[in-house]
């Protein structure tokens, strides 16, 4: 099967749509909570999502061995749709008992739980299943870029929709993206996989790669910076320019860093992120902050995320590719969630300073600890 087979396209686009449906809430939900006079719960509402991501991980392997894996993924996406639909009913007033952020916290937890399961199965199992063994690294790399673009495309679309049509239509749009993702997954054909015998109910398979713990922490620091920035007042233009940074990172991988030193991508990304944070901290001009810094931020987290994904794959042993994908996903999303929690709670007045410190720590950790450790321990 060719990599760019229509089934791969369907799953890659489904990955982008699912990511969009989650990230569309990031810039708009805190504004809505403030309007409802529940601003003090914003940090918990945004942060509890990160806890939900880990809940289904220990039984992920059991579920895909016990049931048809595409059906389990569809069920997880359906749970996402259910959480978003209930939230729509609250926002629209059809469920009038929604008076505080507690219900929003429960729904965000459920969204993290269902999105975590859906992504673990989609990225670590379904996309791998439809590709030949020699294509799987390229497939994982390409599909992850679709999700990365969803990180910026989702908030940009949400801010535009919320501005012109209101919160109800915005949440309804999240539901539509979930429905489209379900349709694309349903249309894809998957080869039959015989279940393994004596499968444990709880395991780390397809969930967490213990050998990648240092990469996990280093990537967590980087994405926490992004989460902190998402708590600041950002316009749709910022997210659009951030998407431009993703595109530049993708092109740079192919043409600039192809023969460069292995460290260069991560080091360059972190240096540009530090430069962006310094610019945003020193300049109060909205016009300046809407153009150059978001391109640097997008380039930085894009190129670092892409490189770390390949590091996780090369660090994994035989039959651990899926587990490495899930570990990368959890580090990325947990970092975003931690940044949102910290930004809306104790660090609300020190976002840029904290981001600069984290970026320097991540850079020093990578150059002097993580990279040498990775070179000693990689398996591929």
């Amino acid at each position: 099967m060719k990599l760019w087979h229509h089934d791969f396209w369907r799953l890659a686009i489904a990955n982008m749509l699912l990511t969009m449906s989650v990230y569309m809430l990031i810039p708009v939900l805190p504004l809505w909570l403030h309007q409802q006079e529940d601003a003090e719960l914003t940090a918990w509402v945004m942060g509890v999502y990160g806890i939900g991501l880990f809940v289904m991980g220990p039984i992920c392997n059991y579920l895909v061995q016990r049931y048809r894996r595409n059906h389990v993924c569809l069920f997880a996406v359906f749970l996402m749709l259910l959480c978003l639909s209930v939230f729509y009913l609250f926002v629209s007033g059809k469920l009038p008992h929604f008076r505080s952020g507690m219900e929003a916290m429960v729904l965000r937890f459920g969204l993290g739980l269902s999105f975590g399961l859906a992504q673990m199965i989609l990225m670590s199992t379904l996309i791998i299943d439809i590709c030949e063994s020699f294509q799987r690294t390229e497939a994982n790399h390409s599909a992850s870029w679709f999700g990365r673009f969803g990180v910026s495309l989702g908030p940009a679309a949400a801010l535009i929709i919320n501005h012109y049509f209101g919160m109800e239509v915005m949440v309804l749009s999240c539901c539509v993206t979930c429905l489209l993702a379900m349709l694309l997954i349903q249309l894809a054909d998957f080869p039959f996989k015989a279940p393994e015998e004596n499968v444990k109910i709880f395991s780390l398979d397809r969930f967490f790669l213990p050998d990648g713990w240092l990469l996990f922490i280093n990537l967590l620091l980087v994405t926490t910076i992004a989460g902190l920035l998402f708590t600041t007042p950002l316009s749709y233009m910022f997210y659009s320019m951030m998407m431009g940074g993703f595109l530049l990172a993708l092109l740079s991988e192919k043409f600039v860093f192809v023969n460069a030193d292995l460290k260069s991508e991560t080091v360059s990304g972190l240096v540009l992120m530090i430069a962006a944070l310094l610019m945003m901290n020193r300049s109060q001009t909205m016009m300046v902050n809407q153009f150059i810094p978001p391109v640097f931020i997008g380039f930085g987290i894009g190129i670092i995320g892409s490189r770390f994904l390949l590091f996780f794959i090369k660090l994994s042993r035989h039959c651990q590719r899926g587990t490495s994908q899930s570990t990368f996903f959890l580090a990325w999303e947990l970092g975003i969630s931690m940044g949102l929690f910290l930004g809306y709670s104790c660090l609300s007045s020190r976002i840029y300073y904290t981001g600069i410190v984290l970026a320097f720590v991540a850079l020093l950790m990578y150059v002097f600890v993580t990279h040498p450790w990775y070179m000693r321990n990689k398996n591929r």
Side-chain angles (χ1 to χ4, degrees):
M1 178 184 293
K2 295 181 180 179
L3 175 59
W4 299 109
H5 188 268
H6 53 81
D7 283 336
F8 173 81
W9 277 107
R10 287 167 179 163
L11 296 184
I13 295 172
N15 178 37
M16 183 178 68
L17 291 171
L18 290 177
T19 305
M20 284 181 61
S21 67
V22 171
Y23 277 77
M24 286 174 77
L25 292 175
I26 287 180
V28 178
L29 182 56
L31 298 176
W32 185 83
L33 288 171
H34 184 76
Q35 293 173 357
Q36 304 300 311
E37 299 182 355
D38 287 312
E40 70 276 3
L41 288 176
T42 300
W44 295 103
V45 171
M46 303 307 290
V48 74
Y49 160 86
I51 300 174
L53 292 168
F54 289 79
V55 172
M56 300 299 290
I59 64 172
C60 179
N61 185 59
Y62 172 78
L63 291 174
V64 299
Q65 296 293 343
R66 177 67 176 80
Y67 306 100
R68 289 289 300 270
R69 47 199 66 189
N70 57 316
H71 292 169
V72 180
C73 186
L74 285 169
F75 178 72
V77 180
F78 173 76
L79 290 179
M80 288 180 62
L81 178 61
L82 183 62
C83 291
L84 291 169
S85 299
V86 173
F87 188 63
Y88 168 76
L89 294 176
F90 283 137
V91 171
S92 62
K94 295 179 174 63
L95 291 178
H97 296 292
F98 190 80
R99 298 193 183 95
S100 72
M102 295 302 296
E103 291 89 344
M105 197 182 304
V106 172
L107 292 175
R108 281 282 293 176
F109 177 82
L111 190 62
L113 181 152
S114 51
F115 180 62
L117 179 60
Q119 280 286 55
M120 280 186 244
I121 298 174
L122 179 63
M123 295 299 292
S124 68
T125 302
L126 297 185
I127 287 178
I128 292 174
D129 284 349
I130 64 170
C131 298
E132 301 292 343
S133 58
F134 65 91
Q135 297 175 322
R136 287 172 179 169
T137 296
E138 185 180 354
N140 291 139
H141 176 264
S142 301
S144 69
W145 269 110
F146 278 83
R148 223 162 277 140
F149 278 105
V151 170
S152 55
L153 187 58
L159 287 169
I160 294 173
I161 294 171
N162 185 65
H163 177 74
Y164 287 103
F165 303 103
M167 185 71 174
E168 294 179 31
V169 177
M170 196 284 298
V171 178
L172 194 60
S173 300
C174 296
C175 297
V176 171
T177 58
C178 278
L179 282 172
L180 291 174
M182 289 181 69
L183 177 63
L184 290 171
I185 296 171
Q186 180 64 39
L187 290 174
D189 294 322
F190 301 98
F192 174 76
K193 295 284 186 178
E196 299 176 4
E197 297 181 359
N198 302 319
V199 178
K200 296 179 180 179
I201 296 179
F202 299 100
S203 72
L204 294 179
D205 292 343
R206 304 177 200 270
F207 171 42
F208 190 81
L209 185 70
D211 291 341
W213 67 274
L214 202 54
L215 287 176
F216 184 95
I217 295 173
N218 215 157
L219 181 59
L220 183 72
L221 291 173
V222 175
T223 54
T224 299
I225 299 170
L228 285 169
L229 285 178
F230 290 163
T231 64
T232 62
L234 302 175
S235 68
Y236 74 91
M237 182 59 70
F238 184 97
Y239 291 106
S240 300
M241 297 304 295
M242 184 176 166
M243 188 159 43
F246 286 151
L247 181 60
L248 287 176
L250 181 58
L251 294 174
S252 297
E253 276 188 331
K254 301 295 183 182
F255 302 108
V256 178
F257 295 104
V258 62
N259 294 316
D261 184 83
L262 198 57
K263 289 182 183 178
S264 59
E265 290 173 309
T266 302
V267 172
S268 299
L270 283 167
V271 168
L272 286 179
M273 290 180 70
I274 292 170
L277 290 164
L278 287 170
M279 290 175 65
M280 296 177 75
N281 183 52
R282 292 179 62 87
S283 175
Q284 300 300 319
T285 305
M286 183 65 69
M287 191 63 69
V288 173
N289 288 342
Q290 280 186 344
F291 289 96
I292 299 176
V295 173
F296 285 0
I297 293 294
F299 183 94
I301 64 173
I303 202 79
I304 293 169
S306 185
R307 173 49 56 188
F308 269 59
L309 176 67
L310 295 176
F311 279 174
F312 273 109
I313 292 174
K314 293 179 182 295
L315 196 66
S316 62
R317 296 186 176 89
H318 181 64
C319 295
Q320 287 186 319
R321 175 185 291 274
T323 309
S324 68
Q325 299 295 298
S326 296
T327 310
F328 169 83
F329 162 75
L330 290 171
W332 180 284
E333 292 295 325
L334 180 61
I336 297 290
S337 182
M338 286 179 59
L340 292 172
F341 176 79
L342 294 173
Y344 283 117
S345 57
C346 56
L347 298 177
S348 57
S349 61
R350 297 180 293 275
I351 298 293
Y352 302 124
Y353 290 115
T354 305
I356 292 168
V357 171
L358 287 177
F360 271 113
V361 171
L363 178 60
L364 294 174
M365 178 180 178
Y366 176 75
V367 172
F368 296 107
V369 182
T370 304
H371 190 83
W373 170 84
Y374 164 76
M375 296 301 293
R376 291 193 304 268
N377 290 278
K378 64 178 181 177
N379 291 296
R380 301 174 191 235

